[in-house]
Amino acid sequence: MSELMKSLTFGLSWLLQFSLVFGGIYAAARVIFAPRNRWRIHLKGWRKRRAPRWWYKVWRTDRESVALQERRVLLLGCGIRYSPESYLALRRCLLTTFPVVGLALYALQASRALPALTAWNAIFALAIATVLLSLDRSALHSIRRHRTDRIRREIVAVISQLLYYTGSRMHLHGKLMKCLSLTRHIRNEMGLLLNEWYHDADAALKRFKERLGTDEAYGFAESIRSLRLNESDEIYALMREIVRDYKAQIELSRQSRKETTSYLLFVLAGVPILYTFQVFLYPWVQEAAKLFDALNP
């Protein structure tokens, strides 16, 4: 009966860990990659849903700080429309709660009020969650770089198409409409920009920059604003310079990814070598050591 209970407890603990890990991955993917409604122009509801003010005071996110400004920039660059104050407060709360819960589980296990297998599995899951939370800056930086690279590629495609229309009598809005098919990752933001264009073009460009939240989006929006006000040769020359600069950055990013991939492959190639040494060579080394010990009494 005790063996059955141990097996059942082991299975439930692993099921709990599986649910926590993959539930967190699914929730993060939903936040980052969920498609947004392209026809909704003003998103005011999520801005009003804020925690009580005392919550921010407890976790010291009620005033500007370096950490808060950094999270604001990272969340905008990742395309995550979530309050940086709430994000930072929740992160600090969980980083405090998880170790406390882990110590409580350890105390319950030491007093035999909780099975050791369940307690240690839960402590292991909490430790993994704590490590992942402490590395959120690196994860956000990686997501931001990946998203920026995609946005940069599509902006290069759009600007190149606009340069193709140099001298055309077509309205700028019509040109941008024809460029919409070249986009994929910024198509929702471009669609909202075009929908808001005739209401207030400057305000639409400002909201476009805020939605994307990258330096490339700011430069692209300013180029479009200048092109709308004065379609001159200087503006087109500046756009050609932007395209050359972005293409150079894309090439540098590609080379960096190749170097990172080569390094990872080099590290992975060393694993079979170590395994070969452990399985085939290490026993011979042990036998040689025993032989030398026997020869030198």
Side-chain angles (χ1 to χ4, degrees), residues 269-287:
V271 174
I273 297 174
L274 294 175
Y275 183 74
T276 302
F277 176 79
Q278 182 179 3
V279 173
F280 296 104
L281 299 180
Y282 186 67
W284 289 95
V285 173
Q286 284 186 321
E287 292 297 329

Side-chain angles (χ1 to χ4, degrees), residues 173-271:
H173 183 271
K175 296 178 182 178
L176 292 174
M177 283 292 293
K178 289 186 175 294
C179 296
L180 189 62
S181 61
L182 301 174
T183 61
R184 179 185 174 189
H185 300 286
I186 65 172
R187 182 169 296 181
N188 289 340
E189 289 77 9
M190 282 282 292
L192 288 172
L193 170 65
L194 295 173
N195 293 336
E196 300 167 353
W197 183 270
Y198 286 112
H199 177 67
D200 189 344
D202 288 333
L205 287 169
K206 181 180 179 182
R207 285 190 288 268
F208 175 79
K209 293 187 296 185
E210 292 175 352
R211 291 185 192 108
L212 289 180
T214 62
D215 295 336
E216 288 76 9
Y218 277 71
F220 174 71
E222 292 303 322
S223 299
I224 297 298
R225 178 180 284 110
S226 302
L227 198 62
R228 186 180 70 88
L229 296 176
N230 182 20
E231 192 171 343
S232 61
D233 294 337
E234 289 78 8
I235 301 300
Y236 283 111
L238 178 61
M239 292 171 66
R240 292 188 185 93
E241 185 65 30
I242 290 175
V243 168
R244 285 193 292 268
D245 185 30
Y246 285 179
K247 284 184 177 179
Q249 294 182 27
I250 291 171
E251 186 62 28
L252 285 175
S253 179
R254 185 184 294 114
Q255 294 296 330
S256 177
R257 285 197 302 271
K258 286 182 179 179
E259 291 179 1
T260 303
T261 304
S262 300
Y263 178 75
L264 290 176
L265 291 176
F266 177 76
V267 172
L268 292 175
V271 174

Side-chain angles (χ1 to χ4, degrees), residues 10-285:
F10 180 78
L12 290 175
S13 62
W14 276 106
L15 180 62
L16 177 62
Q17 291 184 35
F18 180 85
S19 303
L20 287 174
V21 172
F22 284 91
I25 294 174
Y26 175 75
R30 288 274 298 181
V31 170
I32 297 171
F33 300 108
R36 295 182 290 275
N37 187 352
R38 63 180 295 180
W39 307 116
R40 179 181 291 180
I41 296 177
H42 300 292
L43 301 174
K44 296 181 179 179
W46 67 275
R47 296 176 186 272
K48 296 179 180 179
R49 295 172 189 158
R50 294 173 61 87
R53 188 168 181 80
W54 61 265
W55 169 261
Y56 300 110
K57 288 185 177 181
V58 168
W59 302 110
R60 302 180 64 184
T61 60
D62 58 326
R63 61 187 66 184
E64 287 294 326
S65 62
V66 176
L68 184 60
Q69 293 175 1
E70 184 179 17
R71 293 314 190 283
R72 181 179 292 112
V73 172
L74 288 175
L75 291 176
L76 283 175
C78 294
I80 301 175
R81 299 182 183 180
Y82 191 70
S83 169
E85 295 85 358
S86 302
Y87 172 84
L88 194 58
L90 181 62
R91 176 183 179 272
R92 290 175 176 176
C93 175
L94 293 178
L95 284 176
T96 304
T97 303
F98 285 168
V100 172
V101 173
L103 290 175
L105 291 173
Y106 179 77
L108 291 173
Q109 181 270 335
S111 62
R112 300 187 182 278
L114 192 68
L117 187 61
T118 303
W120 283 112
N121 282 327
I123 291 172
F124 180 71
L126 290 172
I128 292 177
T130 303
V131 171
L132 292 177
L133 278 174
S134 62
L135 297 175
D136 72 313
R137 287 176 63 252
S138 300
L140 291 175
H141 275 294
S142 299
I143 296 172
R144 184 170 181 261
R145 282 196 300 269
H146 181 67
R147 182 171 178 266
T148 300
D149 188 53
R150 289 183 170 185
I151 291 173
R152 189 183 294 128
R153 291 172 183 272
E154 296 191 357
I155 287 177
V156 166
V158 172
I159 294 180
S160 299
Q161 188 67 16
L162 290 176
L163 291 173
Y164 176 77
Y165 292 127
T166 303
S168 173
R169 295 183 179 181
M170 189 186 306
H171 192 270
L172 181 57
H173 183 271
K175 296 178 182 178
L176 292 174
M177 283 292 293
K178 289 186 175 294
C179 296
L180 189 62
S181 61
L182 301 174
T183 61
R184 179 185 174 189
H185 300 286
I186 65 172
R187 182 169 296 181
N188 289 340
E189 289 77 9
M190 282 282 292
L192 288 172
L193 170 65
L194 295 173
N195 293 336
E196 300 167 353
W197 183 270
Y198 286 112
H199 177 67
D200 189 344
D202 288 333
L205 287 169
K206 181 180 179 182
R207 285 190 288 268
F208 175 79
K209 293 187 296 185
E210 292 175 352
R211 291 185 192 108
L212 289 180
T214 62
D215 295 336
E216 288 76 9
Y218 277 71
F220 174 71
E222 292 303 322
S223 299
I224 297 298
R225 178 180 284 110
S226 302
L227 198 62
R228 186 180 70 88
L229 296 176
N230 182 20
E231 192 171 343
S232 61
D233 294 337
E234 289 78 8
I235 301 300
Y236 283 111
L238 178 61
M239 292 171 66
R240 292 188 185 93
E241 185 65 30
I242 290 175
V243 168
R244 285 193 292 268
D245 185 30
Y246 285 179
K247 284 184 177 179
Q249 294 182 27
I250 291 171
E251 186 62 28
L252 285 175
S253 179
R254 185 184 294 114
Q255 294 296 330
S256 177
R257 285 197 302 271
K258 286 182 179 179
E259 291 179 1
T260 303
T261 304
S262 300
Y263 178 75
L264 290 176
L265 291 176
F266 177 76
V267 172
L268 292 175
V271 174
I273 297 174
L274 294 175
Y275 183 74
T276 302
F277 176 79
Q278 182 179 3
V279 173
F280 296 104
L281 299 180
Y282 186 67
W284 289 95
V285 173

